[in-house]
Amino acid sequence: MTDQNIPSTRGAVDLSALAHQGSEATQSAPAAAASWTTNLDQGAFEQFVGMSQQVPAIVSLGSPRVQVSVDLDATLRKLVDAKGGKFILGLVDAETYPQIAQAFQAQQIPMVVALIKGQPVPLFQGPAAEEQIVQVFAQLEQLAVQQGMSGTAPAFSGEAQQGEPELPPLHQKAVDAIDAGDYAAAEAAYLEALNEKPNDKDAQIGVYQVRLLSRTHNLDLAKSRDKAAQNPDDIAAQLDVADLDVVGGHVEDAFGRLVSLISRLADEDRERVRRRLIELYAVIGNNDPRVAASRQKLARVLF
């Protein structure tokens, strides 16, 4: 799988020309359980693009004649449907409908792209392990929150099952605050949960995630990168770009930037950057292979 790059939607390919050729979406075969996965043809595309105004709309360009693509679609379907409407998934036979693949400038299949408010956000090409897709989806969900997208879409088929287990009250309070864009209130709720239960790992990760969203909410990517490039020893500038890279899916770039910065620092400055890096490790997931690789590099720098 290629790097899970989830860039800004600025300057993305305009899909409006293809979208306006359409009719209603073709629903996938009905199933007992609710499904947010649908088969797309050229005529179905308009409605699907329109739904990306409310929730991230994921497009899988593949072929039922390619086993890698079939396996990938099965994993995507499972993970998207488990989101209960936070994402939708459109499956495209790129050989039958090459116009859709061309609209995404696909060079190979399988290729997976998300649509955020009508604009494409490349996710990955080629096969992908389930745990890697989970990480990509987590980053995509953060991007959706930044874009003010916190609703759910109706299922394409089947009937909704009983909802996910209820969150603990303070966790639900934090999620509600995130949906409202009130990151300070969300952090306060997670911290209160930690005060009640110090070993609440989900609350601790929640704190780190909310802080990341809060720090990057008003940052301009181009300006931040330019400032960091011109001031390589400006710690705040380097931390800003690392945060933006994590939110944008450039995880290895973010980790590499901070490890390199730590190698040039000492004492309190070094510890400040190290703590930020540890927080970002937790956001991505300590079992992620990119975290493990970065930890080894960090250890070499520190010791």
Side-chain angles (χ1 to χ4, degrees):
M1 176 168 125
T2 58
D3 287 343
Q4 296 98 10
N5 297 336
I6 303 183
S8 164
T9 58
R10 296 178 185 177
V13 179
D14 183 4
L15 300 181
S16 58
L18 179 59
H20 287 122
Q21 299 176 17
S23 58
E24 293 187 356
T26 302
Q27 295 184 346
S28 56
S35 177
W36 286 264
T37 301
T38 185
N39 296 313
L40 292 178
D41 58 19
Q42 189 168 323
F45 200 59
E46 180 179 8
Q47 183 178 347
F48 193 79
V49 172
M51 293 178 73
S52 74
Q53 297 292 329
Q54 284 75 47
V55 297
I58 298 167
V59 179
S60 177
L61 302 162
S63 170
R65 292 163 290 283
V66 177
Q67 190 60 44
V68 170
S69 181
V70 172
D71 294 341
L72 177 61
D73 284 349
T75 302
L76 290 169
R77 179 190 293 268
K78 181 180 77 170
L79 295 177
V80 167
D81 288 349
K83 290 287 185 180
K86 289 184 177 180
F87 295 167
I88 56 174
L89 171 64
L91 306 179
V92 177
D93 184 341
E95 295 176 345
T96 303
Y97 304 107
Q99 300 94 332
I100 299 179
Q102 290 167 7
F104 288 104
Q105 300 179 353
Q107 300 298 314
Q108 69 176 80
I109 58 171
M111 174 180 175
V112 181
V113 181
L115 293 168
I116 298 286
K117 296 187 175 179
Q119 296 298 325
V121 181
L123 299 185
F124 53 84
Q125 294 184 350
E130 182 172 334
E131 58 270 19
Q132 293 173 307
I133 300 174
V134 168
Q135 291 298 327
V136 172
F137 279 10
Q139 295 159 16
L140 183 61
E141 198 162 355
Q142 289 181 350
L143 179 59
V145 171
Q146 286 190 320
Q147 295 290 324
M149 304 168 71
S150 57
T152 57
F156 290 115
S157 64
E159 296 182 359
Q161 305 299 302
Q162 292 296 322
E164 297 178 1
E166 290 187 4
L167 292 173
L170 288 170
H171 287 243
Q172 186 61 58
K173 183 178 179 180
V175 170
D176 292 342
I178 292 172
D179 288 345
D182 190 344
Y183 301 129
E187 182 176 349
Y190 279 131
L191 289 174
E192 188 176 350
L194 277 172
N195 187 55
E196 291 184 358
K197 187 180 178 182
N199 64 342
D200 188 339
K201 293 182 179 179
D202 289 339
Q204 184 62 76
I205 294 172
V207 169
Y208 295 153
Q209 290 175 333
V210 168
R211 287 176 178 172
L212 176 62
L213 290 172
S214 179
R215 291 193 303 263
T216 57
H217 183 61
N218 292 317
L219 288 178
D220 181 279
L221 178 59
K223 290 181 180 178
S224 296
R225 286 197 181 281
D226 184 61
K227 183 177 180 181
Q230 294 184 31
N231 303 277
D233 295 323
D234 184 329
I235 294 176
Q238 301 305 320
L239 291 176
D240 282 349
V241 174
D243 282 345
L244 287 166
D245 275 345
V246 168
V247 171
H250 302 272
V251 174
E252 292 168 323
D253 291 344
F255 291 169
R257 178 182 294 273
L258 295 190
V259 169
S260 177
L261 182 59
I262 288 169
S263 72
R264 305 195 302 271
L265 298 174
D267 302 328
E268 293 182 2
D269 287 339
R270 170 179 280 203
E271 180 59 18
R272 173 188 174 190
V273 178
R274 188 195 69 83
R275 287 196 303 267
R276 175 65 62 81
L277 185 56
I278 296 303
E279 287 191 14
L280 295 180
Y281 286 162
V283 168
I284 296 303
N286 287 313
N287 293 326
D288 190 289
R290 295 167 295 179
V291 171
S294 181
R295 283 189 183 278
Q296 292 179 355
K297 296 175 183 176
L298 177 62
R300 289 195 291 269
V301 166
L302 293 176
F303 307 109

